Amino acid sequence: VLYKESVGTGTPTPVTPEMERVKRNQEICSSVLYKENIGKATPTPVTPEMERVKRNQEIISSVLYKENVGKVTPTPITPEMERVKRNQEIISSVLYRENVGQATPTPVTPEMERVRRNQEQISSVAYREGLGKATPSPVTPEMERVKRNQEQISSVLYKEHMAKGTPTPLTPEMERAKRNQENISSVLYSDSFRKQVQGKAAYVLDTPEMRRVRETQKHISTVKYHEDFEKSKGSFTPVVTDPITERVKKNMQDFSDISYRGIQRRVVEMERKRVDQDQENLTG
C-alpha cells in the first residue's frame, strides 16, 4: 500500500511492435541464461519405494486439501441463472470477434507443407528423447480382478444411462428389403472383382535378389527332405492283415514265381507241342 501511494501518476505509452520484439528477445535471453546456470545432475532411478512415498504424499495432500475446505451452502441453478450464463457466453464471443482484426489469407504452398511435416517429425523425435525409462510392473491376479470389476461397473453405469427404446417388429417387407440389399451388394462385388482382378496376373520382377532367395529356398527344401528321409529310414508302417490282403499277396507271389521260373513259357511250349501232335495224328 505504501509503495503504491508513493508512485505518482504516469503517462501511458502504447505498446509498439518494437517493444514487443525487445520483450520477446529479453524472454529468450532469460531462458538461455537460466539453462546455462543449471549444473549437471545425476539421474536417480525411480524405485518402488519412491513410487510408494509419492502416492502417500498425494493422498495426504488430497486429505489436507479437503480438510481445509469449509462448508458451503449449495444454491440451485435457476432458469434465470442459465439465461445470464448463456448471455455472458454470447457477449464474450462477440467481444472476442470484434477485437480480432482483418487478416490476409495466405495460400498453403508445398514449401509450407514440407516445413510443417518436418516440424511434426522433429517434435515427435524430441518428445521420444524426453521420455525417461520406466520400471515395468507385472500384471498380478489382483490387478486383473480389479480391472474386470471396473469394466463391469462401467458397463452397468453405461446401461443405466441409456434411455429406453421402442422396439420395431421385423416385418416380411423388411426381410425382403434386407435380402435384396445383400443380393445387390453381392452382385456389385462380383462385378467389381471380375472387372479388376479376374483374368489378370500379378507381374513380379525377376530380380537377382529374388532369384537368390528362390535358390536358397530350394536348397533348404532339399536339405529338409533329406533330413526327414534319414529320420524315417529303417522304420515301417504296420498294416492290418485281413483275408483279402492275404489272398492278394498270395496271388502276387504266384505271379512272381511263374515269371521268375519261366513256368509260363514252358506251359506255352508244351501247349504248342500238344497241338502239333494232334495235327500229326489227324493227318497220319
Side-chain angles (χ1 to χ4, degrees), residues 26-29 34 36 61 63 75 80 86 90 92 102-103 118 128-129 175 179-180 183 188 205-206 219 230 236 240:
Q26 287 294 331
E27 292 175 353
I28 295 171
C29 293
Y34 173 74
E36 288 179 354
S61 299
V63 172
T75 57
E80 182 65 19
R86 283 196 300 271
I90 295 171
S92 299
Q102 296 180 352
N118 291 341
R128 293 179 182 177
E129 289 178 353
E175 287 286 343
R179 283 197 300 272
N180 290 341
N183 293 335
L188 293 176
L205 295 178
D206 191 10
H219 295 326
E230 291 295 331
F236 61 92
V240 179

Side-chain angles (χ1 to χ4, degrees), residues 172-182:
E173 182 66 19
M174 293 172 67
E175 287 286 343
R176 186 183 63 78
K178 183 179 178 182
R179 283 197 300 272
N180 290 341
Q181 287 295 328
E182 292 176 354

